Each structure stands twice: as C-alpha cells, then as structure tokens.
Amino acid sequence: MMALQQACQRIAPAWPLDRLIAVNPWWPLIDQPFETVAARLAALGGVRCLMPISHYRQQGIAETALAEAAAEAGVDLLDLQTVQDAPPPAHWQSLAALYQRANGLHWLEMVVDQISRCCALYWDSDTCLYRHWLDHCRDEKGLALLMDCPRLTDLLEQLPNSPDQMLALAREALGVDDTDAVDLGHAWLLEINGWASAAAYQHWQAAQTGTASQRLDELLAIRLAWEWITLQLAGPALLTRWQRQSLSALIDAHIEHQRPAWVWQRAQELDYQQRLATQLAQTPSPVEVSQLQAVFCIDVRSEPMRRALEAQDATIETRGFAGFFGLPIGYRPAGGAYERPHLPGLLAPSLWVTEAEPVAAEGPSRQGRWQQLTQGSPATFGAVESAGLGYVFKLLRNSLRPAAPSLTLNRRLRDYEGRFLIEDAEGTLDSHQQAALAANILKAMELTAPAPLVLLVGHGSSNANNPHAAGLDCGACSGQSGELNVRVLTQMVNDPAVRKALREEQGVDLPDDCRFVAALHDTSTDEIHCFGPVGETVRDWLAAASRQARSERAPKLGETDGNALLRRGFDASQVRPEWGLVDNACFIVAPRERTRHLHFEARSFLHDYRWEQDDSFARLEAILTAPMVVTHWINMQYNASVTDPARYGSGNKILHNLVGSMGVLEGQGGDLRIGLPWQSVHDGHDWRHRPQRLCVIVRAPADPLRDIVSRHSAVRQLVDNHWLTLLRLDEGGRLHRLFQGQYREVNACVPVSG
Amino acid sequence: MKVIGLDALLTLLVLSYPLSAMLRIRWSMAMQLGGFSFLLASISGLMQWVGGVVPSHWFSQHPASPVVLWVVTCIGWLVMRFSYRYLAGDPGQDAFLRGLQWLLSGVVVLVVTNHVLVFMAGWVGISLALHQLLLFYPQRPRAQLAAHKKFIFARLAELALGGAFLILYVQHHSPWLSDLLQTSGPLNLGQQTAAILIALAALIKCAQLPVHGWLIQVVEAPTPVSALLHAGVINLGGYVLILAAPLLSRSFAAQALVLVVAGLTLVIAALAMSVQTSVKESLAWSTCAQMGLMLLECAMGFYALALLHLAAHSFYKAYSFLYAGEGLNGTLIARYAGPRMLRPNMPMAAALSAVLFLIGVPAALLALFAPLLWLAGWKRALLLAAAYMAQKALFEQLLPPLAMPGWAATAWVLCLALALVAGFRRLDEPRAVTLRHWVYAGLFLDHWATRMTLKLWPAPGIPQRSSYSLVNKESLS
C-alpha cells in the first residue's frame, strides 16, 4: 500500500445521526502520546487540542496543583503564572489553500464545498465515489463558470479513471516522498475531516462485518485530484512556495507553543483529582438489607438521579452498569426494512429483536408517503395547495401546546405492549439459550441474589426538532434510548421457563418472589417511567426522587422551577433541552458503598464492581476494554468539541441543515460537520464543559490491574500515552496513579485523618 | 362608525411593529405584541369578510389584503415565539428581534396601505430589513454573497415597480393604488408598459429563474429568517400581481412573460427540489417552484387560487423550515417503508379528474393538480380533492374570477404538466446521470448571476475558513 493511503487509517469514524454516539476523534492516534499528537495535528491543520491559557486561569485551579504540574513538567511556576496566550505558529497549507483566484472567492472553500456536495449525492452508492465525482465534474459547468476558469473542463478530462492512478499521478506531480506522505495525506484529509470521518465510519462498519471499504482512499484521491488541478492552474511558482513548508519545523514550533498550556491543562486535572482523592477518602457506607435495587446506566446523568433515589429510603440500593445491559442486540421494527444496533459502537449486534405480535405499520408509511408527495414528486403543487392551510393548526398547536416529541418508530415501540422475539443467525433463542445469556449478565451485574424488586433503568431523552437527538440518548445503546434493552432483559429474566433453566443449568437461583421491572429514565425531564407495576411506595419514591433530581438540575438550565423541565424538551425551538454529558470528568469503578454518600455534581460515570466477586479478573478486563473505552470516547468528544469547535464540533444549531441521516451542514455548504453543536456545550456566556482528560478510578488490587493494562495494547496506550489518567483506589481510600507501569500516590488536597 | 373603527384598528396594527422596534421592547413583550397584532388582523379580517365593512380610501380595500395581513401577522407571531428560545445565548438576539420587527413593519404597511408612496416605502423597507437579517452572521462569506445578490435584484425590482407606478401616476394623477391599478377597456401603451414592469418586479421578487440563486443561498441565514422569508415575504410578488389584476388580465405581453418565466421555473425548480441533498436547499427550491405556480395562476386569471396558494404555501413552508430539524424522522421512515412508497392509481386519477372537469375546474388547473390524484392513493386523493374544491369556492367568494385562460395558455400549462411528470420519471432512471447533474445545479443559471454579482460587488475580505465567530472571539480573548 502506498504511504499516502496509510493516512486513511488515521481518521476516526463519525457515526451517522440516527445512531450518533460519541467517539474520540483522535482514536487511531492513541499509539502516540497525546502531547505529540496535539502538536502534530496543530502543525498539519491548525487543530486545537487545548484551551487558551486565559481559559485555564479562570478555572480557580489551586496553586498547589499548579505547582505540582509545573514541577512535573520542569517549568518555573512563576513563568507559568505570568504566561500569556500567544498566537499559534503557522500551520501547513495545501496548494488549494495557498491558491487564490481573482474573483475573491476562496478557492479551498469552493473545493471543499464541491467535494462535500458530491459526497452527499453519492454517499449511499456502493460503487466508487471517485468515479461518481469524476462523472459529476465532467458534466458540471458550474465551478468553471463561477471561478471564471474555462481550463478546468480540460483539466478534468485529463484525470485518470481510477483512484489509485489519481493518487500516483498527484504524488508524482507534487513530488511527495515517502517520509512525509502519511502526514501530508492526513493533512489533506483534515481539510475535509467531516466526510473523511463519515468514510472512516464506513470502514469501521465494513471491518465489523468482515468486508472492506475503499471510501477514504477514494476521498483522498478526490482531494488530491483538486491539488493536481490547482497545481496546473497555478503553475510551478506555487509548487515551490508549497514545498518550502517544512513539516518537522512546524511541529517543533507547535510543541514549543503548546508547552505552557499543557502544564495548565495538567494542573486543572490534578486539581480535580486531588479533590476526588479527598472525597473518596471518606469512610464507606454500606447498605444492609435492600428492598429495592435499581440498576442504572453508568452515564453521568444517572449519578444525581441515583443519589436522589437513595435519599428516599435507606433500603434502596442503586447500581451502575453499561446501559445496554450486556445485550448484544439490534432492533428490526416489524414490517419494515430498517434496522439499527442497540449496543456500544465497538461491537456489532449478534442478536436481533423484533416484535412478536402484530403492530400497526400503516402510521409510519402514511407519514412517509405524504413526505414523498410534497417533496419528491410532481404532486407537490396539488398537495401544498390543497393541504397547506392545514399547517396553520400544526404551527399553532406546536407553538402553544406542544406534545411529547418522539421519532415515529420509537413511539410505535413505546405503544407496543407485547413480547419480543430474540433471534440469532440460526433462529429464535429458546429458554436455554436465553438463560445462558441472562446468567452472564446477572453475574456481571452482581445480581445473583437480588432484592424482591429490581428495576432495570435504561435512559433516553425527550427533545424536539433536534438532528442531534441521538447524542442525548444512551451511548451504550448506539444512540437509542435504553428502552428496548431493559424491556427485553426483563422479559427474559421474568420468564418462568428461563428462570427454571437459570436454576437448573446456570446455577443462578432467583427467588420466586423476586420481580424485575423495566424502567426508563428520561434525562430531560428526570421522570422514571416503569414498564410494569411497581406498587405505591416505589412509585412515590420514584416521583420524589424525580422532583429532587429536577430541582438540582433546574438552575443549571436557567430555570427556577424544577417542573419547568417537564416540558422543556417538548419545545421545538429549545436548542438546549438538557446539558447531556457535559462536564464529564471521571469514571469510578467501585462498589456503590464507596461513593454512596458522595456528591459528584453529575460529572462522574459510575460502574459497580467488586473485585472480591471476580475470580479471574475477567470482568475487570471487560470493564477496562469496553465501558472505559466508551467513557473515554465520550470524554474526548466533549473535549474536542470545546477545544476545536470548528473542526470537531458541528457548529451553530441555528444554521444546521440536515443531509439525510449522514450529518448536518452549517448553512448552505462546506464540509459535513461532526461532533457536538455549539449550543450543546456553551450557554452563550461560558463553556459548560471544562475539557479535561477522563480520570478513571478503579478499586482493584494493584498487580492484577497492572497486568490487565499491560496485556491490552489499546488500554496500555490510553494510560501510558496519557489519553486518560488511571487511578487505583486502595482499601484505605487512597488513590494511586498507574502510569507507565508504576504506581504513584495522589495527594488529597486536605490532610486525611486516619 | 364601523369604518372609523376598522381604520383605527388598521392604524394600530400598522404602528405596532415599528413602535415596538423603536422602543426596543423586551422579548416577552414583543411576543405578546406579536400575538396582539395577530388578534387585530383577525378582527379586522372578520369585520371585512363577515361584517362587510370596507375601510376608508387610505387603506387597501382589496379583498386580498386582509387575507395576506392575517397570514403574515400569524407567521410573524409564531416566528417570534420560535426565535426567542432558538436564539437564546446568541449575542445578536436583540438585533435579530429588531430586524424581525422592521421586516414585519414593512410587510404590514405594504399590505394595508392604499397610497402608492407608502406602498413603495414598505416595499423598499422590507428588502432593507431583510438585508440586515440575511447578514445576521456577517462573517459568513456565502451569507454575504447571497445578501449582495439579493440587494442587487431587489433594486432592480424596485426600479421596475417604481417605474410602473410612475407611468400609471402620469396617466391617472392619483396617489391611490386602487385608482392606479384600475382600468376599463383596452390598455394604452403606458399601461401596457406598466403591466410588463409590474410582472417583471413580481418575477424578480418571487425568485424566478434565472434570479433565484439568492433564495437558495439564504439557507446561510438563521432558520427563523428562512421561515419568515419563505412564508411571509417572498410571496409579495404574487400579492402585487393580484392587486394589479385589472392591468395584467388585459396585457397579453405581461401574461406571456409570466407564463413563460414562471412556467419554466415551476418545472425546473420542482425537479431540482427532488434531487437536492440537504433539507433546507430542497425546501428553498420548492419555494421557487411554488412561487412559479402562484404567478402562473395569476397570469391565467385564477387570482382566487393564487391567493389560496399564497396562504397555503406560507403555512406549509413556515412549518417545514421551523421543524426542519425533524427531518431525520422522515429519513428513517423512508428507510423503514422502502423506496417505493407512493401508490399510483391511474384509473382513479382519470375518473376524479373527469369529475372535477365536469363540475367546472378548468383544464389548465387540473393539469397541475392531477398528479396528486394519481399518486396520493384513493382515500387521500378524494379527501384532498374535496378540500381543494371547498377552499377554491371559498376564495372565489372573495375574488371572483375575471377571465378564463385562452387555449394557448391552457396548452402551455398542459405541456408544462407533461414535462413535469416526464421529468420526474426520467430522474428516477439510473441512466439519466447527466440530467440529474444539470437539474441538481439548476441548469447552472445562478452561476452567471454570481459572477455578475461579484463583478458589481466584489467579495469583501473573506476569512481563511468560515467558522463560528463567537468561538473565535472566545478563544482569542
């Protein structure tokens, strides 16, 4: 493979909108230290992985933390305290960026826009994108006209017909040698990072199904075709100017420039870790007998809700577990051709769930037909003229008294009350297979001796008119609500036949009086909806907990009354229905008794784990390789959307323009936008998310933890290249940082007694 | 007495928006006032429709006026309510409200007045206020380009309309629109010229090909601006033609101009709409096509239907833009239900069309309505046909038909309808690649307009990469 094409492996996938999950946009680069990657990216395309120093200065970082960070980096504290933001050094520019035509239109923007349009037109096609693009360009008179550039037509005719030939041609014409090729390829792809990320998603999907995709290579060929065309138009003078740029010098300049900001960044993280150390040093508070166990998703939004629920009664116990509840499922709504995954993006579904009893298929179809009539057929005129006035009622109703928002297919799922079929490649799962699956999940949740009532609480969000709605749903369920997963698992473990098989074959003896009930935590209203009867006391507890959680959250959204949140998400003009996972900062893997009495301000992912019940540390291994990666992805997505919103954030919601389910544009054209919208991380005055690397705290013995980290290369790279901070919580409540094979204790900010 | 009451009501209405813009009232107040204006428009409409009251000659006595007023104040109110939260946290939120209020002031003045100078002031004011709103994010180069293009076309439209009024004033010596646009008997040369100029102004105002490009590029402005523009402002071209019906219906040249330009726009823009990749661009092309139909109906003499279309399209498009974020739902449904959702039913369409023809729907109208009967499935087709007939009857009560189109116009519209259906079928074929490319780009007509615009008004210092200004300010501070 050509060195240029290796650049394609440096792009992280971006999931489409209907299954929007968070991802670390630098995921393929974790084999290098984060600091190196940051400088390199800054040199290649002006990417920002850090905040300006003025931002850190406003964070109220304790001087001890700053001093410690300064000492760690070997920088003088006084210098650090007085350092000011300097404009960043130049970054590498492509030929298209350097080239300028007389009419004032920006050439690179025109090129990006043209590529973006072709991608949008031909993205769903199975055949070569480059060929589609070439055919399109050869018909296209627009750009030549617009840029007053008649030669363009001839140049397009000269382009080779295959992407490989195009890459070879451009490489030779531009004189790219092997040493720089990967970096340059990466830089070119960064200019169309949105579509490149969408293409990387296709590669990711293909890899999961064992096939291969060429989309990124094709995209790179298109981008290089434009470089080649630019070169022909501009002539050798521009080439000389372009070749004069030295990547290594640029990288060095950026390393130097970013040095103080890194110390500030580290100081902010240290400050947080020291405060956590103080909190976690408090004595644990175990629950003796529990009446009610509620298992929540590890999501940071579960933390205030769990606290609120536990506050209702001493016999309530909550647990944290990945929100897909261990079910490797996808959903195929009965009667249609659509399917979607309901599990973390790292995995592909191996089981498919569908409705066992008939459901109405007419509703969605009728809606779809009307849409096609008005938007894609010659009937559009008649349809608008005869039915248009009716929209005045829709407009008035939605403005004055909006109804609860929901995708049509999700509403249908909610209304369905029957059983679900669970199928694998061979056929429907019988009770023995279901028992085997359920036994594993129950053991992983440490629920082999459950309370009389167990609530399995998934989560989802109600928000209207929001292309990024899936980003507020459960990330562990592929950006869907956790509803299907909890309903299916509940159906399995309440089934008498499955219980019998559990007892006889799996050695999991669930008491006869123990009932599982599926529930859904609506993260925008903080209501908990139960899919089965729970009794009056529990209902009251849940209602009181909801009220408490709402009143804690309301001020953050600028509301004085918690009840305002009940309808906030219904409003189609509300661009901030909730704050989502904003300000996430740590992931604690420990039994609840270590954290039950603590307040984490909705910044913490919480996963229950008791190493005493994990014989071979297989479960710890699973937690570090799956949920930890997911939380790291979420953390990095929020960080990147704040540090470089132009590239890793999807921009201003007020201008969003949907492109199918692929993503949004900001305004009329330009690159596809990935990541979080500006409104999702900013309240108009300040950032609501403070970018800091995830702090992972694991209560486990030292050696097994170190073994697992060193055994898994991705985990080791995350830890040792400092993409996250891994801390071990020992029995005395002290924190020890594991970094490059060594443990070092983290100081608490006030002396801990005992 | 009633006349004085109605006059007072309309005066209050005219003053409410500009006063609230000048007094810089707060959002909550502004929204209430928007609702109040809608209420006033509803009351004044009821007085005129039900009570049969006609305002004094200072105000437009045309029956279309209260309808348009009602539509615009309603959408203005809803857009204001929408923008309040939608733009929360944006530093320009208050400036946005002022822009909105000035824009609505212009529209209300234009629709209510009977005085030609006030009318022209409203006409110019609308385009100036709109210019400000289009440049709500001035750092966006495409927004600038669109605004500049629109600015130039708007001046052309003003010249045309102003010229027409001047000619008519010279002939009638009256400042009242109702006098200027009235005529009996054949037109003289001046009136002919005026009719053509008015038609030209309407075509430009309604973004007909080849001056449609700005409408597509206005997607660069905030969503509520698009909603208000597509629902309340762009169709004023149609309103002018409805007012100028006496002239237009006697001027063959003006009719022919509108028939050709709007007719071709209707076909091309509808096809372009169906191949767009982004929701808002598709909606913008759809507006272009729907305006084509509205103007076509005017040129054929179906003024009542043009008015119905104006109102119906306004609400449809306001909804489509404001709720464009729901588009994903539609995409998923399409994936669920498969690509072929429509249920073409030719015998049913033929039978229904025959019935409609027999009860008096002219062939030219039927030609563009029939595809709905053909594709909608029989239940929906019946329902919509009934709704259509009812609304048509209602609006014809307001604006009785002046004349029926001649055979040439009918034949032309039949050809357009055939071209439309054939075009859609052809686009569906996998081999029609080149056609799709051409239609997607709107036959490259706008590229010429852009070049001209850049010659007249070169792009200002465009930043290196367009990114969100707030963020930039934030990170540089």
Side-chain angles (χ1 to χ4, degrees):
Chain A
M1 188 168 59
M2 276 171 62
L4 262 178
Q5 281 160 305
Q6 284 172 16
C8 298
Q9 289 161 5
R10 289 204 188 172
I11 305 293
W15 267 254
L17 292 176
D18 62 323
R19 48 191 72 172
L20 186 69
I21 55 168
V23 62
N24 173 0
W26 306 298
W27 179 243
L29 307 173
I30 59 164
D31 58 338
Q32 298 163 52
F34 190 16
E35 301 189 15
T36 318
V37 169
R40 185 174 290 263
L41 286 169
L44 289 181
V47 173
R48 292 194 305 252
C49 302
L50 289 158
M51 296 303 280
I53 287 166
S54 53
H55 168 88
Y56 296 112
R57 209 163 261 144
Q58 290 159 9
Q59 302 305 311
I61 299 169
E63 194 164 322
T64 46
L66 190 61
E68 195 177 329
E72 207 179 86
V75 184
D76 185 52
L77 180 62
L78 205 64
D79 287 352
L80 202 60
Q81 280 166 329
T82 52
V83 70
Q84 294 297 325
D85 280 309
H91 63 80
W92 180 86
Q93 304 260 352
S94 63
L95 281 167
L98 294 171
Y99 182 55
Q100 185 64 46
R101 285 191 72 82
N103 65 357
L105 293 178
H106 200 266
W107 179 250
L108 176 63
E109 261 175 33
M110 290 292 147
V111 166
V112 168
D113 190 58
Q114 199 273 344
I115 297 176
S116 179
R117 283 175 183 279
C118 277
C119 285
L121 274 169
Y122 304 109
W123 205 246
D124 291 333
S125 153
D126 296 328
T127 47
C128 177
L129 183 69
Y130 174 80
R131 276 305 315 222
H132 280 300
W133 169 80
L134 198 58
D135 290 344
H136 188 101
C137 284
R138 286 176 178 167
D139 275 342
E140 157 92 36
K141 313 284 173 247
L143 206 59
L145 263 177
L146 196 62
M147 301 308 278
D148 193 10
C149 183
R151 262 190 79 199
L152 201 56
T153 320
D154 291 340
L155 291 173
L156 285 163
E157 289 300 328
Q158 294 171 32
L159 292 179
N161 283 331
S162 92
D164 290 335
Q165 287 167 346
M166 184 64 242
L167 286 174
L169 172 70
R171 204 181 152 159
E172 200 181 312
L174 299 170
V176 178
D177 59 23
D178 269 350
T179 47
D180 276 352
V182 188
D183 277 333
L184 292 186
H186 192 183
W188 276 310
L189 285 174
L190 278 175
E191 286 177 338
I192 36 167
N193 185 53
W195 285 106
S197 306
Y201 168 75
Q202 294 192 340
H203 286 230
W204 184 276
Q205 289 302 95
Q208 279 190 346
T209 54
T211 51
S213 169
Q214 297 295 315
R215 212 16 79 88
L216 264 167
D217 309 75
E218 292 158 13
L219 195 61
L220 184 62
I222 294 172
R223 179 66 194 85
L224 276 170
W226 277 114
E227 284 298 88
W228 183 83
I229 289 170
T230 310
L231 176 62
Q232 308 307 313
L233 289 173
L238 191 75
L239 185 66
T240 324
R241 205 177 130 204
W242 179 76
Q243 282 168 335
R244 226 180 286 139
Q245 306 179 92
S246 152
L247 262 184
S248 56
L250 289 174
I251 293 174
D252 289 343
H254 279 278
I255 288 179
E256 204 48 48
H257 174 254
Q258 291 180 351
R259 206 181 296 276
W262 274 115
V263 186
W264 274 100
Q265 173 72 34
R266 173 80 178 129
Q268 183 187 339
E269 290 165 4
L270 269 175
D271 183 60
Y272 179 68
Q273 287 162 19
Q274 289 169 357
R275 279 187 287 123
L276 273 181
T278 318
Q279 268 189 307
L280 287 165
Q282 294 176 33
T283 22
S285 51
V287 186
E288 285 95 38
V289 201
S290 50
Q291 290 286 314
L292 167 70
Q293 280 171 327
V295 188
F296 283 83
C297 179
I298 59 175
D299 194 286
V300 296
R301 289 165 291 180
S302 300
E303 189 260 332
M305 183 44 113
R306 289 175 62 183
R307 229 181 323 112
L309 185 56
E310 284 165 345
Q312 304 311 315
D313 197 279
T315 60
I316 301 173
E317 188 194 337
T318 68
R319 296 269 174 92
F321 194 69
F324 75 118
F325 288 88
L327 286 173
I329 54 171
Y331 176 42
R332 286 187 179 134
Y338 173 63
E339 58 180 46
R340 68 187 185 200
H342 276 249
L343 79 177
L346 293 164
L347 310 168
S350 56
L351 300 173
W352 289 95
V353 173
T354 185
E355 289 90 349
E357 290 146 37
V359 274
E362 187 51 24
S365 308
R366 204 174 53 229
Q367 219 178 330
R369 275 203 298 278
W370 179 247
Q371 186 174 303
Q372 204 175 342
L373 273 181
T374 50
Q375 284 169 25
S377 81
T380 172
F381 299 107
V384 170
E385 196 155 273
S386 56
L389 275 186
Y391 279 86
V392 71
F393 301 109
K394 272 180 115 167
L395 277 166
L396 286 168
R397 193 197 58 214
N398 284 358
S399 183
L400 299 170
R401 192 72 192 158
S406 171
L407 294 178
T408 309
L409 290 172
N410 291 358
R411 198 174 318 129
R412 206 181 62 146
L413 175 64
R414 175 62 65 88
D415 293 341
Y416 175 74
E417 286 173 347
R419 295 177 62 78
F420 294 98
L421 285 180
I422 310 159
E423 296 165 332
D424 65 5
E426 266 97 63
T428 313
L429 256 55
D430 61 20
S431 54
H432 305 284
Q433 289 166 307
Q434 290 188 32
L437 180 63
N440 272 333
I441 296 171
L442 290 174
K443 285 175 192 162
M445 288 198 286
E446 296 162 2
L447 268 182
T448 45
L453 180 63
V454 179
L455 285 181
L456 299 178
V457 193
H459 66 94
S461 174
S462 308
N463 51 101
N465 203 17
N466 181 5
H468 295 88
L472 295 174
D473 281 339
C474 182
C477 301
S478 256
Q480 318 300 334
S481 93
E483 174 182 344
L484 185 71
N485 297 58
V486 288
R487 287 174 70 181
V488 168
L489 183 58
T490 311
Q491 174 188 314
M492 275 175 20
V493 292
N494 281 341
D495 184 341
V498 176
R499 283 216 178 175
K500 185 159 166 277
L502 269 173
R503 188 161 46 238
E504 289 168 2
E505 294 161 20
Q506 306 292 336
V508 177
D509 190 5
L510 297 175
D512 285 341
D513 67 340
C514 155
R515 263 183 341 110
F516 284 73
V517 171
L520 191 74
H521 171 201
D522 186 321
T523 50
S524 58
T525 62
D526 272 329
E527 288 284 280
I528 293 184
H529 172 85
C530 295
F531 292 92
V534 290
E536 195 134 332
T537 333
V538 175
R539 250 205 329 270
D540 290 347
W541 285 342
L542 291 175
S546 295
R547 276 195 300 276
Q548 185 180 328
R550 272 198 296 274
S551 46
E552 181 181 327
R553 211 159 53 87
K556 293 185 187 170
L557 286 157
E559 305 271 12
T560 42
D561 175 16
N563 286 334
L565 301 190
L566 283 173
R567 301 186 65 82
R568 186 179 169 96
F570 294 13
D571 183 352
S573 65
Q574 181 53 266
V575 281
R576 296 178 183 93
E578 58 161 297
W579 281 122
L581 294 116
V582 111
D583 222 13
N584 63 78
C586 78
F587 176 36
I588 300 177
V589 183
R592 179 59 172 160
E593 66 215 38
R594 304 296 313 218
T595 54
R596 188 178 161 103
H597 47 287
L598 304 177
H599 191 316
F600 292 107
E601 299 163 337
R603 299 189 74 184
S604 178
F605 297 94
L606 298 174
H607 197 300
D608 268 75
Y609 170 71
R610 215 175 279 274
W611 61 266
E612 293 89 341
Q613 292 181 17
D614 187 13
D615 299 333
S616 54
F617 293 100
R619 275 179 33 229
L620 180 60
E621 196 168 341
I623 291 171
L624 293 186
T625 50
M628 188 181 84
V629 173
V630 172
T631 53
H632 159 73
W633 279 11
I634 293 170
N635 170 253
M636 273 297 166
Q637 187 195 41
Y638 273 87
N639 291 350
S641 297
V642 172
T643 57
D644 197 350
R647 198 179 313 257
Y648 300 115
S650 53
N652 191 346
K653 272 176 111 57
I654 294 166
L655 298 170
H656 275 175
N657 186 5
L658 265 171
V659 187
S661 65
M662 291 168 266
V664 293
L665 305 176
E666 195 192 51
Q668 194 204 1
D671 193 10
L672 191 74
R673 300 300 295 266
I674 59 167
L676 298 163
W678 176 77
Q679 277 88 350
S680 300
V681 284
H682 202 288
D683 63 9
H685 303 285
D686 265 316
W687 295 107
R688 295 307 295 236
H689 178 76
R690 289 166 271 184
Q692 57 189 55
R693 286 167 285 189
L694 191 69
C695 165
V696 181
I697 295 172
V698 182
R699 178 181 166 274
D703 291 334
L705 181 62
R706 184 164 31 205
D707 282 352
I708 293 171
V709 170
S710 62
R711 229 182 11 254
H712 291 275
S713 67
V715 177
R716 192 184 64 240
Q717 288 167 354
L718 287 177
V719 173
D720 290 347
N721 291 332
H722 208 170
W723 291 86
L724 50 78
T725 314
L726 181 61
L727 306 173
R728 185 177 85 83
L729 178 65
D730 71 11
E731 297 314 302
R734 284 179 298 268
L735 292 175
H736 307 267
R737 180 180 179 202
L738 174 62
F739 184 57
Q740 303 185 336
Q742 303 293 320
Y743 281 106
R744 217 183 95 198
E745 190 174 337
V746 176
N747 304 319
C749 39
V750 286
V752 186
S753 56
Chain B
M1 190 60 211
K2 277 182 184 167
V3 177
I4 296 172
L6 183 57
D7 278 7
L9 214 69
L10 290 173
T11 314
L12 198 59
L13 192 53
V14 166
L15 291 178
S16 73
Y17 287 119
L19 276 183
S20 50
M22 279 188 288
L23 295 175
R24 309 187 145 266
I25 59 171
R26 282 174 295 116
W27 268 93
S28 51
M29 226 358 210
M31 288 191 292
Q32 280 170 10
L33 218 64
F36 180 65
S37 302
F38 175 48
L39 188 72
L40 287 184
S42 306
I43 297 172
S44 77
L46 283 177
M47 283 175 79
Q48 293 177 65
W49 299 320
V50 182
V53 189
V54 177
S56 69
H57 68 280
W58 277 90
F59 297 97
S60 170
Q61 297 164 339
H62 198 280
S65 167
V67 178
V68 179
L69 191 63
W70 189 78
V71 170
V72 168
T73 48
C74 178
I75 287 172
W77 178 47
L78 292 170
V79 165
M80 226 178 252
R81 281 178 61 88
F82 192 91
S83 311
Y84 171 57
R85 290 218 179 72
Y86 199 61
L87 285 147
D90 197 295
Q93 201 190 8
D94 286 339
F96 184 86
L97 179 60
R98 306 293 159 245
L100 220 55
Q101 285 164 334
W102 282 119
L103 182 65
L104 287 167
S105 312
V107 181
V108 169
V109 162
L110 180 140
V111 173
V112 162
T113 186
N114 192 28
H115 194 288
V116 66
L117 284 178
V118 181
F119 186 94
M120 275 313 286
W123 182 272
V124 177
I126 291 169
S127 100
L128 294 180
L130 191 59
H131 188 74
Q132 291 307 311
L133 286 173
L134 298 186
L135 285 175
F136 186 66
Y137 293 119
Q139 72 280 12
R140 301 182 65 80
R142 282 160 191 283
Q144 291 227 355
L145 190 59
H148 294 175
K149 213 185 273 183
K150 163 84 179 115
F151 193 87
I152 293 168
F153 294 149
R155 299 295 84 79
L156 289 178
E158 280 156 18
L159 277 180
L161 194 64
F165 285 147
L166 198 63
I167 295 171
L168 293 171
Y169 181 77
V170 169
Q171 303 212 336
H172 293 269
H173 295 289
S174 159
W176 306 114
L177 280 175
S178 48
D179 295 337
L180 292 181
L181 298 171
Q182 208 47 256
T183 174
S184 50
L187 304 184
N188 56 33
L189 185 64
Q191 283 170 321
Q192 278 286 359
T193 320
I196 294 173
L197 284 173
I198 289 175
L200 205 59
L203 289 170
I204 300 176
K205 198 77 179 169
C206 287
Q208 300 296 287
L209 297 178
V211 292
H212 63 291
W214 65 273
L215 185 67
I216 319 293
Q217 281 144 8
V218 161
V219 165
E220 283 288 306
T223 312
V225 178
S226 293
L228 193 59
L229 167 65
H230 288 256
V233 175
I234 187 156
N235 42 33
L236 292 177
Y239 177 66
V240 170
L241 282 197
I242 294 173
L243 291 188
L247 286 178
L248 186 67
S249 56
R250 287 184 179 83
S251 164
F252 175 76
Q255 281 173 18
L257 176 69
V258 176
L259 277 174
V260 171
V261 176
L264 290 175
T265 301
L266 176 147
V267 176
I268 297 166
L271 294 175
M273 160 193 84
S274 71
V275 291
Q276 294 307 307
T277 48
S278 71
V279 169
K280 285 184 177 175
E281 276 181 300
S282 174
L283 287 174
W285 277 108
S286 153
T287 301
C288 203
Q290 300 283 356
M291 290 300 110
L293 175 61
M294 179 181 71
L295 297 176
L296 202 67
E297 284 171 340
C298 288
M300 288 190 293
F302 302 124
Y303 294 99
L305 276 170
L307 187 60
L308 165 63
H309 192 90
L310 186 154
H313 172 260
S314 291
F315 290 119
Y316 164 73
K317 204 44 69 71
Y319 183 87
S320 305
F321 262 105
L322 293 180
Y323 296 86
E326 310 274 21
L328 190 60
N329 192 31
T331 312
L332 298 189
I333 287 175
R335 229 179 274 168
Y336 170 82
R340 304 233 164 264
M341 282 187 285
L342 297 182
R343 298 166 172 175
N345 188 339
M346 196 47 109
M348 160 81 191
L352 251 182
S353 304
V355 171
L356 288 179
F357 186 72
L358 288 176
I359 59 173
V361 178
L365 281 179
L366 213 48
L368 289 166
F369 193 72
L372 177 70
L373 305 176
W374 172 42
L375 293 170
W378 70 271
K379 264 192 233 159
R380 190 175 250 162
L382 263 179
L383 197 72
L384 290 177
Y388 177 69
M389 289 310 292
Q391 295 175 77
K392 181 168 173 286
L394 191 70
F395 275 78
E396 278 173 353
Q397 285 292 310
L398 275 181
L399 280 178
L402 284 181
M404 292 299 272
W407 64 267
T410 303
W412 167 244
V413 176
L414 286 175
C415 288
L416 291 176
L418 278 178
L420 187 70
V421 175
F424 269 99
R425 299 198 71 150
R426 181 83 189 133
L427 279 181
D428 258 355
E429 285 172 28
R431 278 171 42 235
V433 181
T434 304
L435 177 69
R436 269 198 295 277
H437 292 163
W438 277 70
V439 166
Y440 174 76
L443 310 187
F444 308 109
L445 291 171
D446 178 53
H447 297 81
W448 290 102
T450 306
R451 257 176 86 168
M452 302 292 190
T453 309
L454 285 170
K455 284 223 173 78
L456 285 170
W457 195 336
I462 288 171
Q464 276 290 299
R465 272 182 90 90
S466 59
S467 54
Y468 192 48
S469 71
L470 267 176
V471 169
N472 283 343
K473 273 182 228 153
E474 181 82 19
S475 52
L476 292 175
S477 63

